[in-house]
């Protein structure tokens, strides 16, 4: 495996561990620390639907996610795939969303630049009611 | 790159070319020929929501997709990632769905066994109205 890919995997796995911690606990500081200032992300639905640019938007987004969750989500990682710059994680999650039981299947795609995450795309594999 | 990964990439790219052809033209024969008999797939919404097992269900599903589309979808591949057995393709699509303009961002994850696809998971990155 090329050196670039090894770093990409290492950085993305560290970020995914922090991302998991954020979803579980509502504490996003470690994850936010790993984002570049020009970080951009795509989200499928709602207030942050589409492309969102900049770390301030990311901070607002992850705070909004945790405010909606209350009690956190539990994640089960199913697999990951990668190339030189990107790692995709497929996982299932489960918890409470806006006071209702919530389950989903998710793919998140992290773009790595040096030791940071510069891009993120989230995709929904189910309807929020089963995973 | 390990030999297993090379075959996985080759088979998945061939299948993705046939998948693209199916979405564009409604002709799924080449794609269906690449599926194992025990092929299973996950779809996020609607009649085929959740886990669907067996090639007959796949045939019914892709026929249903093309009946809903009429005129086909145009795909733009953005990137792919892989491991020893799985390749994830992130793409945008655009066309007409049930008579309305349709656009989406999609991730599909193909599991490869020898020279066939044995599993497929589809994830939606947008709301069907923008990509």
């Amino acid at each position: 495996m090329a050196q670039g890919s090894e770093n990409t995997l290492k950085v993305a796995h560290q970020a995914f561990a922090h991302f998991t911690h954020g979803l579980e606990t509502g504490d996003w500081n470690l994850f936010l620390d790993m984002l570049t200032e020009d970080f951009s992300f795509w989200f499928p639905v709602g207030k942050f639907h589409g492309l969102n640019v900049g770390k301030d938007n990311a901070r607002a987004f992850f705070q909004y996610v945790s405010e909606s969750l209350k009690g956190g989500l539990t994640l089960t990682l199913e697999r990951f795939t990668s190339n030189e710059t990107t790692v995709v994680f497929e996982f299932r999650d489960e918890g409470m969303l806006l006071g209702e039981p919530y389950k989903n299947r998710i793919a998140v795609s992290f773009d790595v630049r040096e030791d940071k995450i510069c891009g993120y795309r989230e995709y929904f594999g189910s309807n929020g009611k089963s995973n």
Side-chain angles (χ1 to χ4, degrees), chain A:
Chain A
M1 187 178 286
Q3 202 176 345
S5 303
E6 275 177 30
N7 181 66
T8 294
L9 276 172
K10 184 180 145 204
V11 172
H13 276 278
Q14 185 63 73
F16 187 74
H18 295 330
F19 172 79
T20 301
H21 179 76
L23 282 174
E24 286 175 354
T25 66
D27 174 7
W28 290 96
N29 288 327
L30 292 169
F31 182 70
L32 290 167
D33 282 349
M34 287 194 72
L35 307 182
T36 60
E37 290 303 319
D38 64 348
F39 173 81
S40 65
F41 67 99
W42 289 84
F43 194 70
V45 297
K47 188 174 161 184
F48 289 89
H49 168 252
L51 178 63
N52 302 269
V53 177
K55 196 166 175 174
D56 287 344
N57 275 325
R59 193 174 287 111
F61 170 66
F62 289 108
Q63 185 176 336
Y64 165 79
V65 167
S66 287
E67 281 167 5
S68 305
L69 289 172
K70 305 278 183 208
L73 285 185
T74 304
L75 272 66
T76 306
L77 179 60
E78 298 222 301
R79 73 188 63 71
F80 61 89
T81 53
S82 64
N83 64 26
E84 285 282 310
T85 54
T86 298
V87 183
V88 175
F89 298 88
E90 291 180 70
F91 63 89
R92 298 171 187 238
D93 60 18
E94 183 165 3
M96 298 291 284
L97 180 72
L98 301 171
E100 298 287 331
Y102 174 83
K103 289 181 179 187
N104 219 333
R105 302 172 57 82
I106 305 285
V108 290
S109 181
F110 286 0
D111 295 331
V112 174
R113 190 197 306 148
E114 296 174 0
D115 61 347
K116 302 272 189 191
I117 305 297
C118 62
Y120 167 102
R121 290 166 295 280
E122 181 158 338
Y123 300 89
F124 290 171
S126 190
N127 59 1
K129 292 177 182 152
S130 66
N131 65 5

